[in-house]
Amino acid sequence: MRARRVVRGPGGLSLCLDVRTAVVVALLAAAALAVSVLLVGTGDFPLPAADVLRTLAGEGGAGRRFVVWELRLPRVLVALLAGAALGIAGAVFQAVSRNPLGSPDVLGLGQGAAAGALVVIVFFSGGAAQVAFGALAGGLVTGLAIHLLAWKRGVHGYRLVLVGIGVSAIVTAVNGYLLTRSDIVDAARAVVWMTGSLDGRDWAQVGPLFALCAVLVPPVLAGGRALRAMEMGEDAAHALGVRVERARTLLLVAAVLLTASATAAAGPVAFVALTAPRLARRLTRATGPHLLPSLCMGAALLVTADWIAQRAFGAERLPVGVVTGVLGGAYLLWLLVTERRAGRI
């Protein structure tokens, strides 16, 4: 029997709180913030954690405040926000499709955003802001195409995954073609962006990403009850009073926007959206969509991967997408081995 607490609020409102899930969320949030402090102190001008905290509180000289507030803090905030957006978007897609592989990576949303960015780079030689807008538009167009192609008196989860895999293959081929049309400078720039990197991120990326997360995350969290009901099947969800198609469409639109905005800010970072909900589920050991744990897990994963990318290879600093790709691939192999030993595949 799992420990649960009922929290009663004003106006007769009440909330059933799973104690283990609440502890996991608190620990993941604390881990993400702790690694963020270490990440702010990492670089050519290293700072101890205590100095980082004092500088964030407004103390220290002008040079230290410039390094912390202008050079490093925006990068860390982009990592936290992009990781959180990918984590909760992955949880929504996996819950709607009722498939652990139903993540934005597999469905081709990242590749669609990359196609939008490539069009801007190759045909318009756009700057960072134009590339981000192109990525956002590419992700939205890809999400709309997947939804329309998967629609047949509603969107079935299995059909959504199959259509997404097909669209992903097509868009990947288009991206390869766009690279062949670009000159060597634009091709190199495009490949770096497509790897997924947080280098050079500043407050220009933090503002739009924070605004989109502030608008989209609360309604997605509020849709947790509908997602939990849909995981039991559409008939059960209808019986519980959930308007399935309306809830599914709104949640998918929000998840597409969150994925596209994270990709626009940090590039198509691999495996965070796929692994964060699975890892959160293993820690909470509870049923349901795990929206808030997945959000915290995504943020913790991306800042930790960026810290590893900057610290684990000496003077050679890797794009964060390389680290998430290696760690995510290793996790998938481990998952396949354990599932096979358990006789489930």
Side-chain angles (χ1 to χ4, degrees):
M1 180 69 69
R2 296 179 65 86
R4 297 178 186 273
R5 297 286 186 273
V6 177
V7 180
R8 300 189 184 281
L13 295 176
S14 62
L15 174 67
C16 183
L17 187 66
D18 185 291
V19 175
R20 182 183 177 93
T21 300
V23 171
V24 168
V25 168
L27 290 177
L28 287 174
L33 294 177
V35 177
S36 297
V37 171
L38 294 177
L39 190 55
V40 171
T42 299
D44 295 332
F45 181 61
L47 290 170
D51 289 350
V52 171
L53 294 176
R54 278 194 289 269
T55 306
L56 291 175
E59 300 178 6
R64 184 171 296 177
R65 287 199 296 273
F66 175 77
V67 169
V68 170
W69 282 94
E70 299 300 327
L71 296 183
R72 298 179 184 170
L73 184 60
R75 175 187 182 129
V76 174
L77 291 177
V78 169
L80 286 172
L81 292 169
L86 290 173
I88 194 170
V92 170
F93 275 106
Q94 291 180 12
V96 168
S97 65
R98 301 171 67 186
N99 190 321
L101 294 178
S103 80
D105 306 274
V106 178
L107 297 181
L109 293 175
Q111 291 86 341
L118 279 174
V119 168
V120 174
I121 292 173
V122 173
F123 295 113
F124 302 102
S125 299
Q130 290 80 19
V131 170
F133 180 78
L136 186 61
L140 290 175
V141 171
T142 306
L144 179 62
I146 293 172
H147 190 269
L148 291 177
L149 291 171
W151 179 271
K152 185 180 179 182
R153 294 192 295 274
V155 178
H156 189 274
Y158 184 67
R159 192 163 57 241
L160 181 70
V161 173
L162 286 182
V163 169
I165 291 174
V167 170
S168 175
I170 294 172
V171 177
T172 300
V174 171
N175 290 346
Y177 171 73
L178 290 173
L179 283 176
T180 64
R181 292 290 305 275
S182 61
D183 60 37
I184 187 65
V185 175
D186 286 341
R189 181 182 168 205
V191 169
V192 170
W193 187 87
M194 291 173 65
T195 304
S197 174
L198 295 168
D199 291 342
R201 298 305 184 266
D202 55 28
W203 291 104
Q205 283 84 34
V206 174
L209 184 56
F210 175 79
L212 283 169
C213 289
V215 170
L216 295 171
V217 168
V220 171
L221 291 176
R225 175 182 172 275
L227 278 176
R228 185 185 296 273
M230 283 189 282
E231 284 189 333
M232 294 186 290
E234 293 191 9
D235 292 339
H238 281 297
L240 292 171
V242 176
R243 299 169 64 181
V244 174
E245 284 306 326
R246 178 175 178 272
R248 184 158 46 202
T249 301
L250 292 176
L251 286 167
L252 283 177
V253 169
V256 168
L257 284 170
L258 285 168
T259 304
S261 59
T263 306
V269 180
F271 282 113
V272 174
L274 178 65
T275 57
R278 307 306 303 168
L279 291 174
R281 182 183 293 269
R282 284 180 176 273
L283 290 178
T284 60
R285 298 179 185 174
T287 58
H290 300 87
L291 296 176
L292 192 55
S294 299
L295 180 148
C296 295
M297 177 62 80
L301 281 178
L302 198 50
V303 291
T304 303
D306 195 32
W307 182 77
I308 293 172
Q310 294 193 50
R311 293 292 298 269
F313 303 95
E316 187 69 23
R317 296 177 182 175
L318 300 179
V320 68
V322 175
V323 177
T324 60
V326 172
L327 295 179
Y331 168 75
L332 276 182
L333 290 175
W334 172 80
L335 184 63
L336 288 172
V337 171
T338 54
E339 292 292 306
R340 184 173 182 178
R341 285 179 178 173
R344 289 190 283 267
I345 59 174

